[in-house]
Every structure is written in C-alpha cells, then in structure tokens.
Amino acid sequence: MSRVRTDGDASSRSNPPPMLRTLAASAALVVAAAIALSAAACFGGEGDTGPTTEPRRVVFMAGFKPQANLPFVAAYVAQEKGYFAEQGLTVDLRHASTGEHLKLLLSGDVHFTTAAAASVLKRRSDPGAPIVAIALFGQKGNQGYMALRDSGITELGDWEGRTLGYKISVPPDYLAMIKAEGVDRSRIQEIRVGYDPRVLTEGQVDVLAIFKSNEPDTVERLGFEVTVWDPADYGVPTMGLTYITLTETAESDPDVVTRFLRATMKGFEFMKENPDEAVDIVMKYAPEEDREHQEFMLEAEMKDAEGGATEKAGLGAMTDEQWKALYDHLLEFEAIPEPFDYKDAYDTQFLDEIYDGAKLEWP
C-alpha cells in the first residue's frame, strides 16, 4: 500500500494555503531546546503559575483567515465579551495567512493556535514536534466527500469508474470508507486538485474531498445541488479541530493555559446559546465575508461539536478512546510516519480543571 498523508490543519477553509510541510529533525531539536527560554520570557518563568494582579499577555493565532470556525469564534467571543479580561489575560488575537501558525508556536512567538487532531498526531510522530492538544472542537471530523446531485452518484459503489479529487494527499478516511464498503480502489482515478471546489462544477472530477462546513454551501451558491458523504457514517474514526500549545507551556505555566481555556470554553458556550450574536461578532473580524455563509459554517460545525464525550465532560471534551482510535486508523493507512505514544499528543487536565462534570465552572 502506498504511503498517504493527512491534510494539514484542515478545517473549513475555502482556499487555504498548505500547512507547514515538514520540519527537519535537527531543526525541531533546536526549537525544542529554545522553548523553555521563550516560554519563561513570555509567561514569567518557573514557579509563576498562580493568579497575578497584572494581566498576563498571551498570543492566540487562528489557523486561517477570520471566519466562523468554532475555535476561532470561541476566541472572538471571549475577547469581545470580556471573558479573557475576567481571567486576567490580555490576548493578542491573530490569524495565519500562509500556514505559519505552527512554526510561530514552535518558536514561542505564539502561545495557542489551532490544528486538526490528525495533524497533531502526524506532527508528534515526525518530526516529534513538542505540541499538545488541550481541547477538541469537533467530535467528528470536518472532512467529507461531495458529488453533484445530477451526476447519478448516490452511493460509494458508484465511485468506481469515476475520478476522485483530493486536496494535498490521498485521505486515509477515504481509504477506510471504500475498504468498509468493498469498493475497488483500482477502479477510481485519484488526482490532486488543491482547494478550489469549482473543479467539481466544471466536471474535472466526479467526487471531491471537501470541508463539510464550507464547500457544500459554496457549491450550492453556484447553483448546483450536491450529495455529501461523511466518513463517520462508515465507522471511520474522525476528530476535528483542536486548540494546541507547546508541551513546555502546558508543563511550566498550567495556570495560564487553564485561564485561556476557561475563557474560550465560556465563549464556546455563549455561541452555542446565542448563534446569531456569535455571527455578529464574527462579522467584526471578517467584515468582507458573506454573513449567510458564516451562519452556515457555524451551524454545520456546531452539529459536529457535541455528543459522546461532551455529554459527560462539557464542550471541548476529548477522550483517550477517541485519540487511540484515530491514531490506530492513521497507522493502519500509513498516514503517520512513525509509531509513537499517542498519549503525548493530548492533555485533558485543563478541561478537568474548568469543568464539574459537564458544567463549566465560571467565577
């Protein structure tokens, strides 16, 4: 079987640049050696983990342009509603433009950012990037597959004899889906097409790998009805976007991580209860975007944000079972370069600190 890779920080992007491809192992070691110094400089050093009278400055960088991705909106709301301030934080809220957010996290210039759970596992595997996920926004992944309604493609078996377009690399969830349904992969032509969904409307491909909360709405706005397949419906383990920070930050300054997470989970809770006002806030950050499209994105991502773990542990919850299932899935389809201890990729202690069961503890 040929080796495949997961797409990078794959969320609801309409035309995102590829994420940081590969970090040289030697460079990763250099970065890791510098992390302790940069974290100490930004957060106040070892032992400075309790509440302080002066606001603590942190930098959050969303992984793409301003838009209604849940982890972005949680931070927008926390900023606009004063939740960060109530937690004693001054947050410099930024957006990535060329996929630079992981690089800046590793250099210590950014303290929190976003990444797809599969990407976290891949980066932990090779080059061993010292990052850790602290909250999960998608209980199901945001990637899916789409065909035009008038194509006659109604089930996975119809993909045989057709052309599949993928963004960067052949997705492992696609391989798992066709395996589960007994579809003959050799009868599907697979081509790399990038991020423009018009390759589907223009007939260049028959089936397109997509972001569920973005591209179905984009294509339907072009006047085409679509059929969408979700890998989770075929038993494929999937997880969505996460918040990540450096392992060193999580270890050396857990109080700041906890406060950041408490404020953003309060923002997450607010957007769930007040979606219209949450979109109002999004539009302050993304004034050039179409409001109806942002509403579609927020609604679509909220549908995948609850269930399972969140019923018992609150919004943002994640479990060892989820991470192990995703890790095993990526290993099976050779989407992780090297085996490693998947438990190093996530840390639930901060969620445990801010929740009493499924209830967020807010001062």
Side-chain angles (χ1 to χ4, degrees):
M1 179 182 297
S2 60
R3 182 176 295 276
V4 298
R5 300 179 294 115
T6 57
D7 289 348
D9 183 5
S11 69
S12 307
R13 305 177 180 179
S14 56
N15 190 19
M19 187 179 175
L20 180 66
R21 299 292 187 202
T22 305
L23 302 174
S26 59
L29 293 176
V30 173
V31 169
I35 285 170
L37 292 176
S38 63
C42 294
F43 290 126
E46 184 177 357
D48 184 19
T49 58
T52 61
T53 56
E54 293 295 323
R56 299 286 293 280
R57 176 184 175 274
V58 299
V59 179
F60 167 72
M61 177 171 276
F64 190 46
K65 68 178 183 178
Q67 60 180 19
N69 288 131
L70 294 189
F72 299 11
V73 185
Y76 300 159
V77 172
Q79 189 84 306
E80 297 298 317
K81 289 295 181 180
Y83 302 151
F84 283 137
E86 289 186 52
Q87 288 298 304
L89 300 177
T90 298
V91 178
D92 182 357
L93 203 160
R94 306 176 185 175
H95 294 84
S97 58
T98 57
E100 72 274 22
H101 48 299
L102 179 57
K103 181 178 180 179
L104 292 174
L105 180 73
L106 291 170
S107 69
D109 295 301
V110 165
H111 307 119
F112 302 95
T113 189
T114 59
S119 179
V120 176
L121 290 169
K122 183 179 184 299
R123 301 301 175 184
R124 288 288 320 200
S125 170
D126 182 17
I131 58 176
V132 61
I134 57 173
L136 175 67
F137 285 84
Q139 296 297 311
K140 295 199 299 183
N142 192 34
Q143 297 188 65
Y145 299 86
M146 180 171 67
L148 299 182
R149 186 74 57 82
D150 62 8
S151 67
I153 302 174
T154 60
E155 56 187 35
L156 264 59
D158 297 331
W159 293 12
E160 293 183 2
R162 306 282 188 151
T163 300
L164 169 80
Y166 59 86
K167 292 178 170 24
I168 298 174
S169 58
V170 177
D173 53 14
Y174 152 70
L175 298 177
M177 289 170 64
I178 61 174
K179 178 181 178 181
E181 292 296 295
V183 176
D184 186 351
R185 182 185 177 188
S186 69
R187 296 192 59 196
I188 302 173
Q189 182 182 6
E190 302 160 356
I191 60 174
R192 178 174 175 171
V193 296
Y195 291 88
D196 189 340
R198 288 175 297 182
V199 297
L200 182 67
T201 62
E202 294 172 356
Q204 298 179 43
V205 299
D206 301 301
V207 180
L208 181 65
I210 59 161
F211 298 117
K212 296 183 300 180
S213 66
N214 184 2
E215 288 164 300
D217 185 56
T218 298
V219 170
E220 290 195 336
R221 284 168 174 270
L222 295 175
F224 299 86
E225 294 184 338
V226 299
T227 299
V228 176
W229 293 267
D230 188 333
D233 294 337
Y234 297 86
V236 181
T238 64
M239 297 169 67
L241 280 175
T242 69
Y243 277 153
I244 62 172
T245 190
L246 293 173
T247 303
E248 173 63 27
T249 300
E251 294 175 350
S252 68
D253 210 331
D255 178 62
V256 165
V257 178
T258 300
R259 284 190 267 163
F260 175 83
L261 202 56
R262 193 187 303 274
T264 50
M265 292 304 102
K266 182 69 171 177
F268 196 176
E269 186 178 82
F270 178 91
M271 76 170 111
K272 174 189 173 183
E273 298 172 354
N274 306 276
D276 291 340
E277 189 172 349
V279 176
D280 289 342
I281 292 173
V282 170
M283 299 311 296
K284 292 182 180 180
Y285 289 83
E288 303 302 318
E289 298 296 324
D290 181 270
R291 181 185 177 91
E292 290 186 358
H293 186 57
Q294 300 307 304
E295 291 172 343
F296 178 92
M297 290 179 64
L298 188 64
E299 181 180 359
E301 293 205 0
M302 279 303 306
K303 288 179 180 178
D304 287 343
E306 296 186 87
T310 66
E311 295 177 1
K312 296 181 179 180
L315 295 171
M318 53 189 178
T319 67
D320 180 79
E321 289 77 15
Q322 287 174 296
W323 283 99
K324 185 178 188 305
L326 181 61
Y327 173 79
D328 289 343
H329 160 67
L330 296 177
L331 270 184
E332 178 183 357
F333 293 98
E334 300 183 327
I336 292 180
E338 299 292 339
F340 72 103
D341 186 354
Y342 72 91
K343 293 178 182 290
D344 292 336
Y346 72 96
D347 191 338
T348 62
Q349 67 168 308
F350 308 105
L351 289 167
D352 294 340
E353 180 70 21
I354 66 176
Y355 280 105
D356 179 6
K359 181 181 179 181
L360 179 68
E361 294 186 323
W362 186 256

